[in-house]
Amino acid sequence: MKRLIPFAMLLLSPTPVLAGANDPALWITIDSEAVKPVSEAFAREGWAAPTPYLEKHDVTLLPVYESQLERIAQVMHDRFNRCAGFVTYETFQEAMASLTPPDMPAAAELTVPSYTLDSATTVNKLIAVLAESNIRSTINTMSAYTTRYYTSTTGVSSANWLRTHWASLGAGRSDVTVELFNHAAWAQPSVILTIQGTTLPNQVVVVGGHLDSTSSGSTAPGADDNASGIASFTEVIRAAMAVGYRPARTVKFIGYAAEEVGLRGSKEIAAYFKNNGVDVVGVLQLDMTNYPSTRSDVKVGVVTDYTNAAQNTFLRNLITTYVGIKQANSTCGYACSDHASWYNQGFAASIPHEALVPEGNPYIHTVNDTIARSGSTANHALHFAKIAAAFVAELGEGSAP
Ligand code: BES
Ligand code: ZN
């Protein structure tokens, strides 16, 4: 660790020096090579350069203000072709903890589930009722919001729409609840649908993806990033209700707020689960599922960084056994989506991606992230609904009559 200011001073300075009342002071971790261009951009705005607190593994810890996040994202996009490329923390302690992620994935009290495939009947019942048209419809509804940006009114409305839609899918099942997870620091809530487990209710399987969107232009349709992920597992919820699936373990489907601004929604949720001692046995993240690569025949990229190796092997078996499409390992190289929030809290997380990471959708974070760029179908996302259905049934156990 290269200390840029004396360690004693660092302990004495747990918040940025210029904290303002309506503009919360935050911490970000960012590629060290981005510090100079960010400082230059700040100078052009007439802002003081952020003072680096420390540098570790080429990542620098910087104090900034919430109002500066968009400008930083712009620099990352323009200079590094990255779609944010930094992670936001509300406290100095959290930011410091992120620089020493756990090497040992599972905490002692977490259940490590069996990864043996023993629920083929249930998986195949679910897969049989999955329909591309429903996935397409959810993508169209979500991407019709002008933006789902975490501070926007339409960002809030889109989360509320998802809550209402999931509630309608779960209507008539007393073991299914839908709730909002409110975040103190911004308006957009996360949304959680829970199917209470029958025999192992204290063990929890999570399937999630972010519901917010962002864009450099005047609209942020986020059809692929990430209406597609939300739509893929929303169809699994519908299928589970249609076949009367009752899991032995509790299954939670989560639409995360505020991913695009540093994984903020999922960070709070994963910390909440951790702090409350919830036995999360496995987490599946779906982020970008509907843009098939035009460059290679790989249909699924299994991301191997910030994820759990044993669960990734299980995921690859699910894809081979139940979906039968070509897959390969891939890496983001940084904490690119909400799976990293769970990973950083010591939970087993995996993320199957629409392609090898470098071959994914080039239109994300622009006005052109529309379903038209995927041929106006959800054919590719249907593969990911199958993957999520298999994950839920095999880890959730239980049965469908
Ligand atoms: N969907 C992307 C992540 C992604 C992009 C995964 C390309 C795989 C391939 C996500 O919404 C995103 O934009 N993440 C940010 C980082 C986050 C910490 C703000 C990014 O990739 O820059
Ligand atoms: Zn994104």
Side-chain angles (χ1 to χ4, degrees), residues 4-360:
L4 301 172
I5 62 166
F7 193 65
M9 239 183 94
L10 190 152
L11 291 175
L12 289 171
S13 310
T15 56
V17 194
L18 299 166
N22 292 321
D23 191 9
L26 302 169
W27 293 88
I28 62 166
T29 51
I30 191 165
D31 268 3
S32 297
E33 57 174 6
V35 173
K36 193 163 169 276
V38 164
S39 301
E40 287 164 359
F42 276 28
R44 283 193 293 277
E45 301 287 341
W47 303 338
T51 310
Y53 269 32
L54 80 163
E55 185 184 343
K56 189 180 177 188
H57 303 149
D58 301 324
V59 173
T60 295
L61 178 57
L62 285 182
V64 299
Y65 294 99
E66 183 161 85
S67 64
Q68 296 175 317
L69 295 178
E70 274 189 79
R71 188 70 189 91
I72 299 168
Q74 227 171 21
V75 173
M76 295 308 283
H77 181 264
D78 297 349
R79 295 286 294 264
F80 300 98
N81 201 22
R82 291 272 293 276
C83 303
F86 61 91
V87 180
T88 313
Y89 301 90
E90 270 152 45
T91 66
F92 173 75
Q93 284 75 13
E94 277 181 284
M96 285 299 287
S98 80
L99 293 170
T100 47
D103 295 329
M104 286 288 295
E109 68 272 21
L110 293 180
T111 301
V112 178
S114 158
Y115 292 127
T116 307
L117 304 196
D118 57 6
S119 302
T121 309
T122 311
V123 173
N124 289 321
K125 275 185 189 168
L126 290 171
I127 286 180
V129 301
L130 297 173
E132 179 273 338
S133 58
N134 294 318
I135 303 174
R136 191 183 347 126
S137 165
T138 303
I139 294 175
N140 283 328
T141 301
M142 295 285 288
S143 58
Y145 288 91
T146 309
T147 180
R148 302 190 304 280
Y149 197 65
Y150 78 126
T151 52
S152 68
T153 54
T154 47
V156 174
S157 319
S158 62
N160 283 324
W161 175 80
L162 193 64
R163 188 250 295 254
T164 305
H165 183 52
W166 284 0
S168 74
L169 295 177
R173 284 265 305 245
S174 60
D175 58 335
V176 175
T177 52
V178 183
E179 71 208 297
L180 297 179
F181 187 107
N182 290 304
H183 301 280
W186 64 88
Q188 184 179 61
S190 297
V191 185
I192 305 180
L193 180 142
T194 303
I195 312 177
Q196 177 81 1
T198 52
T199 57
L200 299 169
N202 294 331
Q203 296 181 22
V204 177
V205 176
V206 171
V207 176
H210 69 91
L211 57 82
D212 65 320
S213 69
T214 191
S215 163
S216 48
S218 56
T219 62
D224 192 39
D225 185 13
N226 179 35
S228 68
I230 296 283
S232 300
F233 67 79
T234 294
E235 180 58 0
V236 176
I237 297 171
R238 194 198 62 79
M241 300 301 120
V243 305
Y245 172 57
R246 287 177 193 274
R249 294 189 169 112
T250 293
V251 179
K252 286 182 181 280
F253 295 89
I254 310 183
Y256 306 108
E259 186 266 358
E260 298 287 12
V261 287
L263 317 179
R264 293 179 70 183
S266 59
K267 189 138 38 78
E268 288 194 3
I269 290 176
Y272 179 88
F273 279 61
K274 171 76 174 207
N275 294 339
N276 286 279
V278 181
D279 186 7
V280 177
V281 303
V283 178
L284 188 75
Q285 171 74 359
L286 294 184
D287 186 357
M288 301 171 66
T289 66
N290 200 36
Y291 188 85
S293 172
T294 48
R295 288 164 56 192
S296 79
D297 60 348
V298 174
K299 301 285 180 229
V300 189
V302 174
V303 174
T304 55
D305 52 351
Y306 295 88
T307 55
N308 179 280
Q311 188 179 272
N312 287 344
T313 301
F314 165 66
L315 174 63
R316 295 198 57 146
N317 285 338
L318 295 176
I319 296 168
T320 303
T321 306
Y322 297 118
V323 192
I325 54 177
K326 191 163 176 200
Q327 55 174 309
N329 286 339
S330 194
T331 55
C332 273
Y334 60 101
C336 66
S337 188
D338 302 301
H339 59 288
S341 296
W342 293 97
Y343 173 84
N344 284 333
Q345 294 289 352
F347 297 114
S350 297
I351 170 170
H353 187 62
E354 63 193 5
L356 297 175
V357 170
E359 299 183 359

